[in-house]
Amino acid sequence: RNIPHIASLRDSTPICDFRIDVKPRLYSTKEYFRKRITHYGFRPRQVVNAIYGYNLTRANHNSLKKASCLFCASEALANIVKPLNDCTKVINSIAKFTYINSTNKINIPGIDFNRDKIIVYAGRLSSGKGAYFLYKAALRIIAKGQNNNLKFIFIGEGELQSKICKNGNRQIICLGKKDNKIVQQIISNSFISIIPSLVFEAFPRLAVESLSAKTPSIGTDVGGIPEAIGKAGIIIKPNNVSDLVAAIL
C-alpha cells in the first residue's frame, strides 16, 4: 500500500560528511571521493571508510527522496536537503520551552557563582566543535590579567580533553561529562554560553538551553547557530579568536 511516511532530520550527518566542509552540501560521486581523499589521505583504511560512507549516504538519500515530507531542525539544514525532496519543512523546539529555575546554586570547587562570571561551553572537546578555538580565546583573556573573576567552564569529553584541561590555570575548569540537570543549572548561573563550532551545526542544543535559562550566547556564523541564538546573543566569524575575545569582554 502507498502509505505516506515522514523523515525527521536533526543534523546533516546522514546526508553529508559534515567534517569536510563548514557548509555541507550534496556532492557528486567524483566530488565526494576527491574531498574525502584530500581531507583524510589516500590510505587503505580511509578508502574503505570513504566507500562505506558513500554507500550509506546514498542509501539515506534514496530514503529521503521517497519520504512524503522532510522535517528539519533549522532553515540551514533544510537548504541542504531541499534538492532531495520538494516537501521540506522547518520545525524546532524554540517555540516550546520552559525557563530553567536559576535560583538553585550548585557547589563546584574553585567557583563562586555569586562573585565569578561564568563562561560555559558544553559539548564534545574537539577541534570541529570549536573547543580549542574557545580555549585560545580564554588564554588570551586571562593573559591580560584584568578579568580574574572570569571562569571558563568546559563541560564534556573528547580528544582535546587532556590538552585543554591539564593547563594548570585556575580560571579554566573542566568538569568532564555531567548529568543534563547539572549542565542546565550551570548554564542558568552563567554569564555567557559559547557555541564556537567550526563545522556545521543544524540547531545546537546549548543555544536552546541557554535561551531557556535567560543566558545570552555567543556563537559562530555556522549552519543553524544564528537561527538558534536569534536576538539573544552575538554571532561571530568562525575561528576568529580576536572576535571571540571582543564578544566576551
Side-chain angles (χ1 to χ4, degrees):
R1 290 180 292 177
N2 186 19
I3 301 175
H5 63 288
I6 294 171
S8 175
L9 283 172
R10 182 177 175 272
D11 58 42
S12 65
T13 309
I15 51 171
C16 306
D17 189 335
F18 66 96
R19 292 164 292 186
I20 293 177
D21 288 316
V22 171
K23 295 181 178 180
R25 57 194 179 85
L26 305 177
Y27 294 105
S28 66
T29 306
K30 184 177 180 181
E31 239 183 346
Y32 178 87
F33 283 103
R34 182 176 62 81
K35 282 276 187 181
R36 286 279 312 205
I37 291 170
T38 300
H39 188 79
Y40 295 111
F42 192 76
R43 296 189 296 275
R45 182 177 177 181
Q46 299 301 338
V47 173
V48 170
N49 287 342
I51 295 171
Y52 172 79
Y54 176 79
N55 290 330
L56 181 62
T57 301
R58 289 303 164 191
N60 287 325
H61 286 189
N62 291 333
S63 296
L64 297 178
K65 287 177 181 177
K66 294 176 182 178
S68 303
C69 202
L70 305 180
F71 286 86
C72 304
S74 65
E75 194 67 44
L77 181 56
N79 288 334
I80 295 174
V81 300
K82 277 178 182 177
L84 295 175
N85 199 304
D86 291 333
C87 180
T88 304
K89 307 291 183 182
V90 176
I91 183 169
N92 54 51
S93 56
I94 276 291
K96 296 180 180 179
F97 60 83
T98 304
Y99 283 112
I100 301 168
N101 184 357
S102 62
T103 58
N104 296 326
K105 303 293 181 182
I106 58 175
N107 183 30
I108 298 177
I111 296 176
D112 183 344
F113 282 102
N114 294 316
R115 180 183 64 86
D116 296 330
K117 287 186 175 181
I118 307 302
I119 314 297
V120 62
Y121 166 87
R124 185 163 181 79
L125 300 185
S126 66
S127 55
K129 289 291 186 180
Y132 194 67
F133 165 40
L134 173 58
Y135 175 66
K136 289 190 291 185
L139 290 179
R140 188 176 296 186
I141 290 171
I142 292 168
K144 293 177 182 290
Q146 300 172 350
N147 301 278
N148 294 328
N149 65 328
L150 279 182
K151 297 290 177 68
F152 294 85
I153 294 182
F154 288 81
I155 304 173
E157 300 173 336
E159 58 267 28
L160 294 178
Q161 191 167 355
S162 59
K163 195 167 189 176
I164 293 173
C165 301
K166 294 182 179 179
N167 62 86
N169 195 299
R170 293 183 179 180
Q171 287 182 252
I172 297 176
I173 299 169
C174 291
L175 301 181
K177 190 175 181 180
K178 290 294 180 182
D179 180 84
N180 193 51
K181 288 184 178 179
I182 295 176
V183 174
Q184 289 180 343
Q185 283 184 317
I186 294 172
I187 293 170
S188 66
N189 287 286
S190 294
F191 177 57
I192 299 171
S193 68
I194 309 290
I195 307 163
S197 295
L198 306 181
V199 297
F200 186 89
E201 293 269 7
F203 202 79
R205 178 176 176 174
L206 179 56
V208 180
E209 291 183 332
S210 299
L211 183 62
S212 300
K214 301 181 182 179
T215 299
S217 298
I218 297 172
T220 49
D221 189 10
V222 174
I225 294 176
E227 289 179 62
I229 291 177
K231 296 180 180 179
I234 300 172
I235 302 300
I236 61 170
K237 295 178 182 177
N239 215 18
N240 190 315
V241 176
S242 297
D243 278 5
L244 182 52
V245 169
I248 291 172
L249 297 179

